[in-house]
Amino acid sequence: MSVSRKSEHAPQIYSTVPAILPPDQLFGPLFHDVQMQHVFNDSIIFADSFPKRSPEEILSLYEIQKHDADFSLLAFIETYFEIPKQVDTGYVSNRSLPTAEHIQKLWPLLTQQYEPNSSLLPLPKPYSVPGGRFRGLYYWDSFFAMLGLRIAGDIDSIRDMVENFAYLIDAYGHIPNANRSYYLSRSQPPFFALMVRLLGDIDGPDVLVRYLPQLQKEYNYWMDGYFRLNDYEVTFRRVVRLPDGCILNRYWDDLAAPRPESYAEDVELANYAAAYGVTPGILYRHIRAACESGWDFSSRWFGDPTNMATIHTTDMIPVDLNSLLYYLEETLSLAYRQSSFTAPSDQFARKAEERKKAIMAYCWDPRQAFFLDHHLGFHKLSGIWSLAGIFPLFVGLASQEQATAVHEHIKSQFLKDGGVVTSIHQSGQQWDSPNGWAPLQWLTCQGLLRYGFRETAAEISRRWRALNDRVYRDSGKMMEKYDVVNLGEQAGGGEYPNQDGFGWTNGVYIDLETHVNDDSPDWVK
């Protein structure tokens, strides 16, 4: 949250600067009271609000005024904070237009520039936002928006967004979940290498070398502390040492506290979970780690698939995360090979091969012939089947035999009338059945195309785009997620209503429409 430190005594000394501390730490008891009294219908509203005076002044005023008989907490907030308003572009959808044409008109409306007097972390270039309640530059969302921007010919926006992510890596050592101070303790699925490779296919191979320092820093972030692991300390932050000595990764968050953007929800869940003997700090960390995964929330992370109080994200080795890090290691090998400092290239090629072997050892179920997450505590594979299992195909580390088996499961268990379902488990969470998400449709199609299953990929693309078309004709909106099982129903689950806009849905729709008949998309390497 940005803080204005101007005062009448020294107006030229203090300027508006981005605060690194998240708003729950800056405003302590005030933040707690606003969220727990549900002053706003969405916790993210106050988390994104901008203070008109210094936190110290506001807190002092709050401690004085809150005892007044006629005190109104809402009026106090409206006096001392700029409250973010729902973005109103004035745009009215023309439902008679083809969906693709509608999307092309949306790109400028979803483009923002950093404004100094806001709660956002600064960025040097314009960027595309997802839409709805998501008013910042979100990490993995942005890759899928870039796919659509590429088709639209807006290459400058892709360059700007890659530059923004490189800036964040240089400024903070990693790419936060989004450019908000309260997201600095975690990241999201590491898609920066995919973004750089995408831009490299447009601007040429020099792009890899240009962003090599940031690729290396991203890798260092995910691998932090690997050198300290031994038989006695088997986990540290995002790295895990397995019994055979190999190292894989997990999702993590450095803070064991309620999320500012979902503060009341987290505190209320912690109160409920206490009945199960769950320590609040441990619960909060598992919740935050699930948010780093991008799958917030899913039965992938629960001991009991129907009970969020049993969340245990940091106990899981996710197959999708480790597949993406395999891709990052391969990208680093390629980038170093093209640079003037070639020595690390072979080292990263070996790291990729070691990770591939570890994924096969710990995330492949030979009996059921599917890729699954691995449970650290139980030393066994998870029983939750999800589209995380497509990532080894997407990055090309699966064998043809494995890909054939996964393909059969996709057809028989995941493919529904509206596309592929996120998991085959119905938990009430948004990253489970019956919901489908644009990035997972695209990743599944690309993974299947890579191994020659063109017909199934085309069918997934057709069904998904038909569902998008239907909802657009009925509502004039592109949604964050869709119910791919019950086509007449709106997707549910989650901590907030289904959002429209929507960046990654737009990008995936346009890319699938353009490449539906491509059996080897030119940028996937």
Side-chain angles (χ1 to χ4, degrees), residues 8 23 26 35 70 78-79 84-85 95 210 237 249 254 285 297 307 321 349 389 430 444 453 455 470 510:
E8 60 184 8
L26 285 172
Q35 301 291 36
D70 60 348
E78 290 175 337
T79 300
K85 297 178 175 60
R95 288 185 246 177
R210 185 189 319 154
R237 298 186 80 196
N249 289 74
D254 290 330
R285 181 155 353 248
F297 294 97
N307 187 352
L321 171 60
Q430 62 177 351
T444 302
F453 303 111
E455 183 177 340
R470 175 178 176 173
I510 294 295

Side-chain angles (χ1 to χ4, degrees), residues 436-465:
W437 295 77
L440 298 180
Q441 310 300 313
W442 187 86
L443 289 161
T444 302
C445 287
Q446 302 306 320
L448 295 178
L449 285 170
R450 186 162 203 154
Y451 288 85
F453 303 111
R454 177 175 172 177
E455 183 177 340
T456 305
E459 183 61 20
I460 293 170
S461 171
R462 185 192 65 78
R463 294 187 189 188
W464 174 255
R465 288 183 294 110

Side-chain angles (χ1 to χ4, degrees), residues 3 6 21 35 58-59 130 145 159 231 247 263 287 299 377 435 444 451-452 476 499:
V3 179
K6 293 181 179 178
L21 287 177
Q35 301 291 36
I58 292 174
L59 282 174
R159 295 185 185 111
D231 290 342
I247 294 176
Y263 188 92
I287 290 172
S299 59
N435 290 348
T444 302
Y451 288 85
Q499 303 293 297

Side-chain angles (χ1 to χ4, degrees), residues 165-359:
F165 286 121
Y167 171 86
L168 289 170
I169 291 173
D170 286 339
Y172 304 109
H174 69 287
I175 298 174
N177 188 144
N179 62 322
R180 299 275 182 184
S181 60
Y182 54 79
Y183 286 142
L184 281 171
S185 60
R186 65 176 181 267
S187 186
Q188 272 196 328
F191 270 78
F192 184 63
L194 284 136
M195 297 176 187
V196 172
R197 297 280 285 270
L198 173 62
L199 183 57
D201 283 336
I202 297 168
D203 286 349
D206 288 348
V207 169
L208 275 178
V209 178
R210 185 189 319 154
Y211 291 106
L212 177 53
Q214 290 81 22
L215 289 165
Q216 180 67 66
K217 289 176 186 177
E218 163 116 309
Y219 186 73
N220 294 347
Y221 171 79
W222 286 96
M223 297 303 295
D224 181 44
Y226 77 91
F227 48 84
R228 63 188 288 168
L229 300 184
N230 54 46
D231 290 342
Y232 305 100
E233 186 177 11
V234 298
T235 63
F236 180 77
R237 298 186 80 196
R238 292 166 178 82
V239 289
V240 177
R241 185 178 188 270
L242 281 305
D244 62 359
C246 72
I247 294 176
L248 288 173
N249 289 74
R250 63 178 178 174
Y251 289 113
W252 182 256
D253 190 297
D254 290 330
L255 294 179
R259 295 166 295 155
E261 74 278 15
S262 298
Y263 188 92
E265 295 87 341
D266 287 359
V267 172
E268 289 161 2
L269 178 62
N271 293 339
Y272 167 76
Y276 294 86
V278 180
T279 303
I282 293 174
L283 177 79
Y284 294 145
R285 181 155 353 248
H286 286 314
I287 290 172
R288 285 169 167 266
C291 293
E292 183 169 77
S293 79
W295 294 48
D296 43 325
F297 294 97
S298 166
S299 59
R300 289 178 68 190
W301 316 126
F302 300 170
D304 175 352
T306 62
N307 187 352
M308 189 170 167
T310 65
I311 190 169
H312 58 108
T313 317
T314 68
D315 295 330
M316 306 303 296
I317 295 178
V319 64
D320 49 353
L321 171 60
N322 283 283
S323 297
L324 290 170
L325 290 171
Y326 166 85
Y327 187 89
L328 175 53
E329 287 163 341
E330 283 207 320
T331 300
L332 280 164
S333 177
L334 178 60
Y336 276 113
R337 192 180 313 133
Q338 295 177 358
S339 74
S340 59
F341 180 41
T342 60
S345 178
D346 289 343
Q347 176 191 17
F348 277 101
R350 286 194 298 271
K351 287 180 180 292
E353 186 60 29
E354 289 167 2
R355 187 179 297 273
K356 176 180 176 178
K357 290 178 181 177
I359 290 171

Side-chain angles (χ1 to χ4, degrees), residues 359-372:
I359 290 171
M360 295 304 177
Y362 290 97
C363 295
W364 171 250
D365 186 335
R367 183 176 63 85
Q368 300 188 89
F370 199 72
F371 287 100
L372 300 166

